[in-house]
Each structure stands twice: as C-alpha cells, then as structure tokens.
Amino acid sequence: MRKHDVVVVGAGLAGQRAALAAIDAGREVAVFSKLHPLRSHSGAAQGGINAAVGKEDSVDTHIYDTVKGSDYLGDQDAIEFFCREAGPTVVEMEHFGTIFNRSADGSLARRPFGGAGFPRTIYAADRTGLALLQALWERLGTEEFTLYEEWDLTSLVVREGTVRGIVAFDRRKGEFALIEAKAVVMATGPFGRVYGRTTNAHSCTGDGVAAAYAVGAALKDMEFVQFHPTALLESGILITEGARGEGGLLKNALGERFMSKYAPHVFELASRDVVSRAIVTEILEGRGFPGGYVHLELMHLGKERIESRLQEICDFARHFAGVDPVTQPLPISPAQHYMMGGIGTDIHGATNVRGLFAAGEAACVSIHGSNRLGGNSLLETLVFGKEAGIAAAAYAAHASVSSLTEDDLATAIAPIRAWSHRTDGEDPSVLRSEMQRVMDQYVGIYRTEADLLEGVRRIRELKKRFARIRVVDQSLVYNVNLSDALEVGHMLELAEVIVVGAYARTESRGAHSRRDYPTRDDAHWMKHTIAHRGADGPQLSYAPVAFTRWEPKERVY
Amino acid sequence: MSEETVTATFDVYRFEPGKDAAPRYDRYVLDLPPHTPVLTALLKVRAEIDPSLTLRYSCRSAICGSCAMQINSKSRLACEAAIGPELERDGRIVIEPMRNQPVLRDLVVDQESFWRNYSKIEPHLILDPRHPMPEGRENPMTPEEVDRFKETPRCIACAACYSACPAVEADPAFPGPMALAKLFRFVVDPRDQAHQDRLVRIQTDGLWLCLRCHLCTEACPKDVRPSERIRDLKEMAIAAQGATEHGSRHAVGFKENIRERGQLNEMKLARQTFGPIGLLAQAPQGIRIWRKKPELLRAPHPIEGQDEVEKIYEALDNGKTKEDLP
C-alpha cells in the first residue's frame, strides 16, 4: 500500500503552496490532482493579487476594505493576519519567477479593483493566475515529491476521528487505490459547477469539500455564493474586474451608466455583490438588452491599452462572443464565480477533523465573509496554502501510522462499483444538468423562501435519483463517465448545503440577498453558518464572528 | 440572441489500444448554431449520445490547455474552434487526437514526452548564490524588460505546437517548440543567472533540429510564436558561443554565401557546415548530386544586382531591422 507523510489533494495554487511548505518543513509529500497541475483552475484567475505595498496605501486599509467587503462576516483576526502576509507573499512569488507588470520605476505595477480604497491589485496583464501558477509549479519542480497526475479523489478514510488516508481513482489505469497518509490537505478549489451559469471550469466540482463533509468536517458559510458581475452572455466566460479597473463602463439598453444609482461614489468599482445586483435589477426592470444582458464598454480606453492590459479578454470576446472590445461593447451578465464557503478552518488550515487541513477556495477561514473582494482569492491560496502546509507537516511529524487494509478499500468502493454493474439507470450528465438548472433558477442572486424550499425539494429528489445512477462506459482506461459520476455525487451533497443554509439565513448580507428579508440583521445573523452532515441532510449550527477593531457599519460604495 | 442552426457532421476518432483491433471513426450528426465551439459539441455527444467518448477538457475558455486535438487536421483547442468555419471549408468536422503523442484512448494522448522535454530545459530561475535576491522586496524590472519576454508568458502548455511539429515527429532529440519557447522565457529573464549556460547547452540539445517550418506558430492558440523565439534563441546562441554546431555553422555559412554571391555555393556551404573532415562523411551524398546535377557543386557566379544584396547586409550590420528596409 502507498504511504505518505502529507497528502495534498488538488494542485492549484493552494495545493502547490501547501506542498512546498510541507516539503520545506522536511516532510515527505504526495500531491494528487485530477488535472495536470498547470491545468488547474487557478490559472484562469485574471485580474490580480492584492497587497498594500504602495506608499499611499496601508495594510490597515486593506484590512478595513476586506472587512467591509465581507459585510462584517469575515473574521477580523484572520483578515489582519491575511493582509499582513500579502506583501511578503507577493514578493516571494516574484522571487520564484512570476512575471508581473511593472511601473516605469521598475516596481510592481498596481491597478484599481472593486471595493478597494487604493489601487492595490498587482497583476500580470489579465492572466495573473496563470503567471503565478507557472512560477509556483516551476519552483515546486525543483523539489522532491510524488505527483499523482489525473487521479480523482473518491473519499477520505477516517478512523476514531483521525484522518488515515484517502481513496482515489487513477484515471489512466482505471484503478481505485487506498493511500495512507498521516495528514491530508484539501485544496481542491471551488464547486461552481453546481451552477449552470458559472465562470468556473468543468473540473470545479468540490470533490475535496464533499469528501471532508462526508467524514464529519464542518462546512462554513456555504450559502454565500459570489456572482461575478461581468461574464460573457452565452458562455459565462469571465471578463475580469480588471476591465472595470482599467476604466470599463457598464451601460444599460438606454445608454445610461446605471451604476451611478447604486454606487454613487465608486460606480463600476463597487464590490461584486453590489454590481451584480445592480445589473440584475436593471435587467428585471426592463432596462437590459433583449435576451437579458447589459453592456461593458471598453472602446474609449483605446486599442493600445485594451490590447496590452486586457489581452486575454480580447481573445475571449473575439472568439467566444464574436465581439471586438476595441470597437464594440461586450454583452455581459452576472454568473456564479466564487464560493465564499467551504471547509471550516482556523488560520493554520486546521479543521475539526484531526489530521485534516484545508486551504484555498475549498476552505473557509473566513476572510471573505459574505462577499469576497477581487484580488483577495489569489492571495488567499498562497497565504493559507502555506499555513496549511506548515501545520500539516508539523502534525504529520508526530502522528502515528495507522494500519489500513485492502478490506478498507473494498468497503469504500463497493457502492461505486455498483454504478458500473447496473443494466439500467440514469447517466450522471442528466443529473448534473438538472442540478445546475435548479441552482440557477432557485438559488441565484436574489432568493426567496418559496424558491429556496423548491430548491431543497428538487436537490433532495436528485440525490435520491443519484442512488440509482448508472455508468455505461465499462472501460478501465480514462473512464470519464465514472469521473462524472463521482463529481455529480460530490456536487449534489454541496448543493444541498448551499440551499439549506440559504433558506435558514433570513437576512440579506453580502452576496446572500433575500427578497423577503432585504436588510442585514446583525442582531440575529452576525454569525457563521456551520453545517455537519446528518442522516437527513445538513445539520446547521452557528458560530460567532471574530472582531478586533472594526465595528459593523452600513456598507456604502 | 437566437441563431439559425446548421447540421454538423462529426467524424470522431475512437480507439482504445489493447482493446480495439484498430481505430475507427464514429459519426455524430448534430444541429447546432455555427458559432458553437467544437468542445461544446463533443460534450453534447457525451451527454446525449455516447458517454464513453473520451477527451480532456476543463476551463472551456482557452486558458487551461486541456482540450487540444486535431480538428480537420489542424492542432487546435476544441473550446476555441467554432464549428461554422470548419463546416464551410470542409463540409464536415473530423476530430482526431493530437499527433506526436501516443493515444491512451480516443482523444486523450499520453503527454509524458511533452512534459519531459519541458522539464529538461530546467524551467525555473537559476540563481547565483553570490547575487542573492533583494531581501523583503521585489527585483526591479522595467516595463521594457517585461516586453523582452514577448508573448511567451501566455503559453498554456496545450501542446498544439508539439502536435503540429514535424521535427518532433522526425527526431526524438528535438525538445519541441513549447520547451524552446519556455527556454527563451528564462534566457531573457533578467533575474535568471544561467543565460550563458542555457544557450551553450541548447546548441547541442536540439536547438538546431528545428526545421523553420513555422507550423508551431500557426498552431499556437496564444500567439506565443514559438518558431520566432527559436530563431531568437539561435541568434543568441551564436552571439554567446559562436557557430560551433553543424546547425549554427550552416546558418553562418549561409549568410556569408549570400553576401558573397547572392546565391548559395553548395560545396562551400557543406565545407563550412561539416568542416573538411566531416565533409568526407558526406561523400556519398556528393556523388549522388554530382551524377544528377553536377552544376550544384560548382561555385556560382555572383548574381546580377549583387551590390544591392551588399547594401542590405550593410544596413543590417548597422542595426537596421527588416522593417526599416525598403
């Protein structure tokens, strides 16, 4: 049986940074990923990474902006730590080889981003995630570790409340394997594919979050789903906030720069929840274009600036929308983009399950609270990836070795084997698309009790149907049909937690907007939602928010 | 935003080595709007017709590099290739796995050699311990220094270039366009302290095996222009070390030949490339040429207008570029 000190699941920025930290701490490390690490979704991050390194800027302002952006649901102790680490983290990535844009004096160039008091978003054109991912992977490549490339995570193995290993599926060989681990770091990223209209990659299915939930890990604040204001109309492909940071304007069908009504001070650069609601309101009130969208205009920036600073989105717009941003407005509307919720952790990535750590979008520390600011997620992957790697390594140094057997493997995979042995049953893709329709329709930007109840009912019905799923493809080599089934099973569990949490929270805060409870209710709801898996679905409880220096105020942009 | 649909015929390569005796092409016919990406069509096939159709894909926005494949014989990203133009040109859409990498199943290829070549160029900053990084702050780098990377930071490692490259097909010693473009990225990085070593080493590690066909540049979905970066590397390698290899001596000899007579002196070029002793090994080839086209072995006369050629050389020697010339 394969054994490792530290197993990192997911090889995007958080997973890679965790692996590097654990290797630096002297542990033996294995990294599992269902994609080649350079194909991770971190590489799709466009706009940039926040660090208050400018002379006029300050760490305190970054902290304040993040607290305010979170609508006071972020834990302020965690946010303070996070923002203090920003400068050193960006410098480290520069030393690893990241090619950032520069100012004329040779320092790191910065652009303005939504919800930020100063231009503090350091960037590499509009492919900052790709630039960081390449540099980190190339740095990690100089170290010794085991890479399990194109392996799906099936489940976690926990005995007596302690993580003992993982069960994973080797796509190339079609084999399930039990891998013993003293510590496991979950860094499997987001689960945006529970929605149909999403900027997320097809691979963003929350496998690690679902596996952690299944063994008793607490999920935190799952109802807070960020919808990015500007995704291309049909494909849902992301158009970076950097486009507005560079001066892009939002206009409705009447040609009005409508953000003046919703954010009279900062217009297009309000935080994402505010801008997304504004766009949806314009569309619902009849001022959108037929088909339900508004325009993002860049033309006035000029060809040179558009093509140098926003090179990738030029290609996206031309290829995927047939529109040239140099001469035409982009048709955009909001799309699911980021999950504020995830596996609950402390600032060292530790969860409530011994030996299990988590970082990045899979985790919820929480620094984003009910709404994340642009430029904070790339930073989160690196700051907390490193913390989780250090903590997992320290834990693994003293953890005992377990003794799992091949019987443990057989038990774990028996239900999965049954999928392939059935002669009738539904294909996973049917359930996936139905789930996505339910989430788009009932658990979107604006929510109501009636919609959420219907959403819960429909997701639970899909869970029942999932028990009779069928995998038609019988091949052992690269069986994507089986991978699909694993992913849909994971996503249905997470979709249920999102809907149940959203139904319970009878207030509007950050990205969670209830039509029937339109205001923030600090007296009752200034608290984190905690979900544990129970026999009949998620069991909710609540936990206090950590405050240090900032009292809740009304949020105005 | 509704749009007319077209009837699209897909002939998709299906093969599982070790199980299937031979590859076959399965035909799927779908009605789709012409701007539909090939990937969307293939995912529709998976969802509605045959879940066993096997391919790699993830971001669907040309940034993860997963879905490169042969689309009507061109190496392209399936997420970026719209079906309309393909149907207009070829009447149907033939989908095959990338070339130069063994098929694992259907459209999924084994990329081991591609990644190995990338690792071999040491794709990370090599530092000289005598010149440590500035403590607690970034290395200064001017916008002009950032421009020196050209488009190489856009590479998404999709391997479309590797698939399109005839040199990769012909010679396993050739690292491939992506690895060389990546090498360029490190050679121009002001933070890297092994430029000279990198250039010297690549001269014998396959740099001169590039055929200059530019198919990689045509295939690249990110405009990285690998063949142009390979040309840059060749120039930098000669500047760093001189013409020490057959390839570089051929390039330098070629340049001298044209300057002298406006056309190639094949005998002289062969001597310049292989040296007097190496030339002996080329004797069988020489004999074949002598039998068929003996005039090729004689020194040609300078062409008419040789003085114009000399002027071009002088302009280039004085730092003018191709764009400056009339």
Side-chain angles (χ1 to χ4, degrees):
Chain A
M1 196 178 297
R2 298 177 176 92
K3 292 176 201 280
H4 298 288
D5 278 0
V6 176
V7 161
V8 178
V9 187
L13 287 173
Q16 288 187 29
R17 192 62 192 81
L20 184 58
I23 293 165
D24 282 346
R27 296 278 75 76
E28 182 274 331
V29 173
V31 176
F32 283 74
S33 175
K34 63 182 178 181
L35 308 164
H36 185 280
L38 282 177
R39 312 214 183 286
S40 303
H41 194 52
S42 299
Q46 297 174 2
I49 178 166
N50 292 339
V53 294
K55 284 192 184 71
E56 74 284 24
D57 203 355
S58 72
V59 171
D60 266 6
T61 319
H62 187 191
I63 297 168
Y64 170 71
D65 288 340
T66 304
V67 168
K68 178 183 171 189
S70 80
D71 218 351
Y72 298 92
L73 195 69
D75 288 322
Q76 296 184 6
D77 52 351
I79 293 172
E80 292 203 19
F81 172 78
F82 169 70
C83 296
R84 286 187 216 299
E85 289 298 309
T89 299
V90 169
V91 166
E92 178 179 74
M93 288 308 299
E94 195 280 330
H95 287 186
F96 285 175
T98 309
I99 304 164
F100 288 113
N101 278 47
R102 300 296 182 130
S103 305
D105 67 358
S107 64
L108 299 171
R110 287 165 285 128
R111 62 163 47 130
F113 245 49
F118 290 99
R120 86 166 55 98
T121 304
I122 291 159
Y123 60 98
D126 54 349
R127 49 171 176 274
T128 314
L130 184 68
L132 293 167
L133 189 66
Q134 288 177 351
L136 186 54
W137 176 242
E138 289 165 358
R139 170 66 185 78
L140 189 59
T142 64
E143 305 288 344
E144 288 288 323
F145 65 99
T146 310
L147 176 65
Y148 292 83
E149 184 189 329
E150 300 192 323
W151 285 60
D152 287 300
L153 173 70
T154 307
S155 55
L156 271 166
V157 183
V158 170
R159 298 282 179 268
E160 287 91 39
T162 302
V163 164
R164 296 302 188 186
I166 64 169
V167 177
F169 174 66
D170 180 354
R171 285 190 181 181
R172 292 187 194 186
K173 294 209 176 94
E175 286 172 4
F176 288 92
L178 181 64
I179 298 99
E180 282 192 49
K182 292 178 182 169
V184 173
V185 181
M186 280 302 173
T188 54
F191 34 99
R193 282 281 156 181
V194 298
Y195 286 86
R197 182 162 172 75
T198 175
T199 65
N200 281 192
H202 287 280
S203 55
C204 299
T205 55
D207 306 323
V209 182
Y213 178 58
V215 296
L219 304 189
K220 195 196 289 177
D221 292 339
M222 292 283 281
E223 64 269 31
F224 295 102
V225 178
Q226 179 165 83
F227 293 83
H228 196 287
T230 59
L232 286 178
L233 181 60
E234 191 173 0
S235 58
I237 288 171
L238 174 67
I239 299 298
T240 174
E241 188 162 314
R244 281 170 288 137
E246 294 291 340
L249 305 177
L250 292 169
K251 300 236 179 113
N252 63 20
L254 307 174
E256 295 167 340
R257 196 178 162 197
F258 57 85
M259 281 312 297
S260 60
K261 286 182 285 182
Y262 304 90
H265 304 295
V266 296
F267 293 82
E268 283 81 2
L269 289 178
S271 77
R272 289 176 178 174
D273 56 335
V274 175
V275 182
S276 285
R277 276 194 295 271
I279 294 171
V280 170
T281 303
E282 290 297 302
I283 294 168
L284 290 176
E285 293 181 357
R287 295 183 296 276
F289 290 90
Y293 61 95
V294 298
H295 277 161
L296 172 63
E297 290 189 0
L298 300 173
M299 300 91 82
H300 59 286
L301 301 178
K303 184 177 161 73
E304 197 278 324
R305 183 152 172 196
I306 296 173
E307 289 188 343
S308 64
R309 305 274 185 88
L310 301 167
Q311 196 173 28
E312 303 300 328
I313 69 137
C314 273
D315 275 11
F316 293 162
R318 287 167 185 162
H319 276 288
F320 300 113
V323 167
D324 186 347
V326 174
T327 56
Q328 294 164 289
L330 307 181
I332 58 92
S333 72
Q336 190 285 337
H337 181 58
Y338 186 86
M339 296 296 184
M340 270 70 77
I343 306 168
T345 70
D346 64 14
I347 64 168
H348 305 298
T351 71
N352 63 314
V353 176
R354 202 156 48 235
L356 178 64
F357 301 80
E361 196 170 341
C364 178
V365 178
S366 143
I367 49 164
H368 309 306
S370 62
N371 175 65
R372 175 177 71 78
L373 291 189
N376 270 353
S377 64
L378 285 175
L379 182 60
E380 176 189 24
T381 62
L382 296 166
V383 168
F384 293 108
K386 179 179 174 185
E387 289 303 307
I390 292 170
Y395 171 84
H398 304 288
S400 60
V401 186
S402 66
S403 50
L404 299 174
T405 68
E406 290 300 325
D407 284 348
D408 294 304
L409 177 63
T411 313
I413 65 172
I416 297 167
R417 292 273 190 228
W419 299 341
S420 304
H421 295 152
R422 293 208 178 104
T423 52
D424 65 341
E426 292 180 287
D427 191 76
S429 64
V430 175
L431 300 188
R432 183 177 56 213
S433 54
E434 286 196 30
M435 169 190 67
Q436 291 172 342
R437 274 199 296 277
V438 170
M439 295 301 284
D440 283 348
Q441 186 172 351
Y442 299 108
V443 203
I445 291 181
Y446 282 114
R447 301 164 174 186
T448 64
E449 180 176 290
D451 277 355
L452 293 168
L453 272 179
E454 185 61 16
V456 174
R457 193 183 68 74
R458 291 188 184 225
I459 294 293
R460 289 194 168 148
E461 195 180 286
L462 290 170
K463 276 180 71 180
K464 282 195 193 117
R465 282 162 60 188
F466 182 77
R468 291 288 309 161
I469 203 169
R470 182 190 181 199
V471 170
V472 174
D473 188 357
Q474 298 292 317
S475 172
L476 286 179
V477 181
Y478 222 92
N479 188 331
V480 193
N481 197 199
L482 182 60
S483 300
D484 280 348
L486 291 168
E487 291 174 349
V488 172
H490 291 149
M491 286 192 288
L492 281 169
E493 290 290 325
L494 301 178
E496 187 186 19
V497 184
I498 294 170
V499 192
V500 169
Y503 172 75
R505 186 173 282 272
T506 51
E507 67 158 351
S508 288
R509 180 185 298 272
H512 174 66
S513 305
R514 290 280 301 254
R515 289 243 187 240
D516 39 2
Y517 299 92
T519 53
R520 197 173 82 193
D521 178 1
D522 287 344
H524 297 98
W525 287 105
M526 179 70 80
K527 56 190 182 184
H528 297 295
T529 306
I530 305 292
H532 282 94
R533 191 165 189 261
D536 306 317
Q539 306 297 308
L540 301 187
S541 57
Y542 294 89
V545 176
F547 285 86
T548 57
R549 291 183 278 163
W550 286 274
E551 285 302 312
K553 284 192 292 198
E554 195 193 347
R555 235 165 117 233
V556 180
Y557 285 102
Chain B
M1 298 290 274
S2 66
E3 202 175 344
E4 296 290 306
T5 62
V6 290
T7 301
T9 302
F10 295 88
D11 287 324
V12 183
Y13 179 99
R14 306 296 305 270
F15 184 46
E16 187 177 332
K19 191 168 156 201
D20 300 334
R24 64 175 198 278
Y25 289 80
D26 282 353
R27 173 162 289 191
Y28 308 103
V29 181
L30 303 169
D31 285 329
L32 298 164
H35 70 276
T36 307
V38 167
L39 178 64
T40 306
L42 294 175
L43 295 184
K44 200 170 160 66
V45 169
R46 279 183 41 73
E48 295 171 13
I49 305 172
D50 185 354
S52 74
L53 172 62
T54 304
L55 64 151
R56 284 193 182 100
Y57 61 95
S58 181
C59 77
R60 61 77 169 89
S61 58
I63 201 71
C64 76
S66 297
C67 67
M69 54 187 70
Q70 295 290 104
I71 299 171
N72 284 339
S73 302
K74 299 272 188 203
S75 303
R76 300 188 63 186
L77 296 177
C79 68
E80 205 177 54
I83 62 167
E86 297 299 317
L87 291 168
E88 265 172 41
R89 198 184 55 242
D90 291 4
R92 61 174 183 150
I93 302 175
V94 180
I95 304 286
E96 294 163 310
M98 275 196 284
R99 299 170 69 246
N100 296 334
Q101 299 152 91
V103 172
L104 288 173
R105 184 180 174 192
D106 296 349
L107 306 172
V108 175
V109 295
D110 184 349
Q111 303 208 277
E112 189 274 332
S113 71
F114 172 73
W115 294 123
R116 180 163 33 83
N117 279 308
Y118 160 63
S119 301
K120 256 174 67 177
I121 64 112
E122 295 195 66
H124 54 87
L125 292 182
I126 297 176
L127 303 178
D128 183 338
R130 290 168 301 178
H131 305 287
M133 294 267 183
E135 199 164 326
R137 61 183 175 82
E138 73 269 26
N139 294 280
M141 197 190 288
T142 62
E144 291 70 35
E145 285 174 314
V146 175
D147 286 345
R148 278 205 247 147
F149 293 99
K150 309 272 187 188
E151 302 295 305
T152 54
R154 295 187 72 192
C155 175
I156 55 171
C158 66
C161 61
Y162 196 77
S163 170
C165 178
V168 168
E169 184 180 359
D171 194 337
F174 185 57
M178 179 272 194
L180 291 173
K182 187 57 97 168
L183 179 69
F184 173 89
R185 172 251 171 276
F186 284 97
V187 167
V188 298
D189 193 321
R191 297 166 294 191
D192 190 80
Q193 289 157 355
H195 299 168
Q196 187 77 9
D197 292 349
R198 289 180 189 274
L199 287 169
V200 167
R201 216 180 61 189
I202 198 61
Q203 286 235 58
T204 50
D205 278 358
L207 175 64
W208 295 98
L209 297 172
C210 166
L211 303 169
R212 303 185 298 279
C213 68
H214 302 288
L215 286 174
C216 53
T217 291
E218 192 190 318
C220 177
K222 290 299 185 184
D223 207 26
V224 169
R225 304 188 156 265
S227 56
E228 294 180 12
R229 304 295 77 83
I230 293 171
R231 180 204 60 203
D232 294 339
L233 282 174
K234 287 173 174 174
E235 287 178 3
M236 289 187 279
I238 291 174
Q241 196 190 10
T244 57
E245 303 307 308
H246 288 164
S248 46
R249 295 201 318 231
H250 185 267
V252 170
F254 202 104
K255 185 178 157 194
E256 285 175 8
N257 266 247
I258 301 292
R259 185 168 204 162
E260 280 167 15
R261 292 165 196 257
Q263 58 183 318
L264 287 185
N265 180 347
E266 296 282 356
M267 255 322 267
K268 185 176 177 188
L269 183 57
R271 199 169 56 242
Q272 285 169 310
T273 302
F274 300 107
I277 294 176
L279 194 60
L280 287 176
Q282 304 295 317
Q285 171 83 349
I287 291 166
R288 276 198 301 277
I289 293 171
W290 179 68
R291 282 192 181 137
K292 286 194 169 169
K293 275 195 153 185
E295 66 276 15
L296 276 182
L297 301 182
R298 285 193 288 272
H301 295 294
I303 60 165
E304 214 173 295
Q306 176 65 32
D307 49 337
E308 292 296 317
V309 174
E310 179 54 32
K311 279 183 196 161
I312 294 172
Y313 273 80
E314 278 172 19
L316 292 172
D317 285 346
N318 292 330
K320 297 251 168 59
T321 66
K322 193 170 65 182
E323 285 71 32
D324 298 324
L325 297 173

